[in-house]
Amino acid sequence: MVHRVMEKDVCIAGGGPAGLILGMLLAKAGVDVVVLESHDNFDREYRGEVLQPRFLQLLEQVNLRSYIESFPSSKVRKGALYYKDKRLGEFSFDNISEEIPYALWMPQPILLQALYDKAKSLPSFELLFHAAVKELRYEGERVTGVVAQIPEGTLEVRARVTVGADGRFSAVSRLGGFEMEYEHLAGDLIWFTIPKPDDWGDELRLKITDGYGYIILPKYPNCLQVGVAVPLGEWKAIREHGIEPFRQELLAAHPAFREFAEALTDFKPFVLLQVKDFYVKQWAKDGCLLIGDAAHCASPVGAVGVSLSVTTAVIAADVIYDALQDGDVSADRLGRVQALRDSEIRSVHKMQARAARMFFTSTPFIRTFAPVVISLVTRTKLLAAVQRRVLSLSGKVPIHERFTFQD
Ligand SMILES: Cc1cc2nc3c(=O)[nH]c(=O)nc-3n(C[C@H](O)[C@H](O)[C@H](O)COP(=O)(O)OP(=O)(O)OC[C@H]3O[C@@H](n4cnc5c(N)ncnc54)[C@H](O)[C@@H]3O)c2cc1C
C-alpha cells in the first residue's frame, strides 16, 4: 500500500456541481486546486437534472452557457398544475427571466463531464476519481488538508483551504464536527421512468390525486421521469401491503403510467430519495469551508438545488481567492460565504417547506384545500412572483472577470 502526498492551495472534497464549478473557477484564476471525487465516474441518476435559469445565468456570466447548452439536453418552457384530471393552471418560464425563458433538462453525468472537460484544460486544475476523503488533517485547530482512500492506498493532500463540497452526506462536515442548525424531513420521492407519450411535448406537470402528489418531468431524450410524493414513513407501509394497491394507485393516476404499472411484479423499478433540507450552523472553521448541499441541502421541491449550490460555489471562489491573496484563511474570513448566502438559502428553504406540506401529505383537509390554493395562485400574479423568487433567486451574482472564460 502506498501513501502519496500532494500540496495544493485548495483541496475540494466532492466532484458534484458545486465542487467542480468551484475548482474550475479557482483554477481559471490560477489557484492550484485538486478535486477529490469518491466515485470512479460521474454516473448518477435522478439527481439535479432540471437546471433553472439562475444556473444558466451564472454560466452566461462566466461565458460557458453556450458551451454547456451545446451538449445533449432539452428545454423545458412551461409547466402545468393538475388536480386529478383537471388542469388547474399553468406557469411559464417566460415569467422568470426574459433573458433565459426556459429551464434546461440535462442528465447530470453530461453536465459534470462537460464541466470537467473544460476544467481539465486549465493547468492548475486536477481531479482525482476514486478518492474518498476519510480524515481531516489539523495543525492545532486549523484544518490543513485531508487523507483520502485511493485504489493504491492513501493520499494526503496538504492544502491552505479544504472545502467540503461532498453533498448531503458530507464526510468533511462529519469529520470536522460541523453542527446542524435545522433539518426537516418532508417525505420520500419515489422515482420511475417511462417512455414519453408522443403528444406530451416539453411540459412539466405537478399533479395531486386523492392518493399522492406527482411530479412528471420530460426527461432527455424521450422519456418521462415521474416522482411520487410519499408522506414521511408511508413508503414502508406501502411495501408491506405488496405491489397490487400501489399498481392500482398508479393506474388511476395517469393513463401514461398504464404499461409500466401493469408490468410491475415488485418494487425494484422504483428509486427512493429522501426529501429533506438542512442548514449547517457555521459553514466555516479555520482552513475549512462547506459549500453546496454539504452546507445547505435543499429538498427537490422546485428543482433549485443545483442553482443554490453553484451560486454558493461562485461566491466561495471569490472569497477563497481573496483569502489566499491576503494569507487569511480563518473561519471569520471564509465565513463571509455564509454571510452572503444566508438570507437567500433560508428563504428558499421556507418556501420549499410550505410547498412540501401541501404536496407530501395524506391529510384530507390539506388535500382538499390544495387545489383551491393552487388554482388561486396560478390565476394571480403570485405564481410568477414565487417562481422568480424560488427559481431565478434574487438577482445576478457579481462575478469577477478573473473567473470568466474567453470564447
Ligand atoms: C431526488 C432529487 C432530485 C433533485 N432534482 C433536482 C433538479 O432537478 N434540479 C436541481 O437543481 N436540483 C435537484 N436536486 C438537488 C441537487 O441534486 C443537489 O442540490 C446538487 O446536486 C448539490 O450539488 P453539490 O455539488 O453540492 O452536491 P452533490 O451533487 O451531492 O455532489 C457531491 C459529490 O461529492 C462526492 N462525495 C461524497 N462523499 C465524498 C467523499 N468522502 N470524498 C470525496 N467525494 C465525495 C459525491 O460522490 C458527489 O459526486 C435534486 C435532489 C434530489 C435528492
Side-chain angles (χ1 to χ4, degrees), residues 237-257:
I238 290 172
R239 292 180 62 107
E240 280 166 6
H241 285 107
I243 196 68
E244 199 47 42
F246 200 57
R247 184 205 315 282
Q248 293 307 325
E249 160 65 32
L250 296 183
L251 285 170
H254 200 286
F257 304 165

Side-chain angles (χ1 to χ4, degrees), residues 14 17-18 36-39 44 47-48 50 133 191 273 293 303 305-306:
L36 305 179
E37 168 53 48
S38 55
H39 287 96
R44 54 190 81 193
R47 291 305 308 274
V50 179
V133 170
W191 292 105
L273 281 156
D293 270 14
V306 170

Side-chain angles (χ1 to χ4, degrees), residues 10 22 48 60 71 139 161 177 210 268 282 286 321 332 407:
V10 178
L22 174 63
E60 175 80 35
F71 289 89
E139 264 174 37
V161 177
D210 283 338
K268 282 201 193 99
Q282 303 280 349
D286 291 346
Y321 181 87
D332 270 2
D407 285 326

Side-chain angles (χ1 to χ4, degrees), residues 119-136:
K120 69 185 179 195
S121 65
L122 302 164
S124 62
F125 179 90
E126 188 175 0
L127 180 140
L128 298 175
F129 287 109
H130 236 307
V133 170
K134 298 286 181 197
E135 274 176 49
L136 294 182

Side-chain angles (χ1 to χ4, degrees), residues 13-19 36-39 44 46-52 108 131-134 165-171 189 191 217 273-274 291-294 298-300 303-307 309:
L36 305 179
E37 168 53 48
S38 55
H39 287 96
R44 54 190 81 193
Y46 299 112
R47 291 305 308 274
E49 299 185 326
V50 179
L51 303 170
Q52 299 291 353
Q108 215 177 72
V133 170
K134 298 286 181 197
D166 48 349
R168 45 166 47 196
F169 304 108
S170 170
L189 264 180
W191 292 105
L217 303 161
L273 281 156
Q274 214 179 37
I291 64 164
D293 270 14
S299 85
V304 289
V306 170
S307 301
S309 292

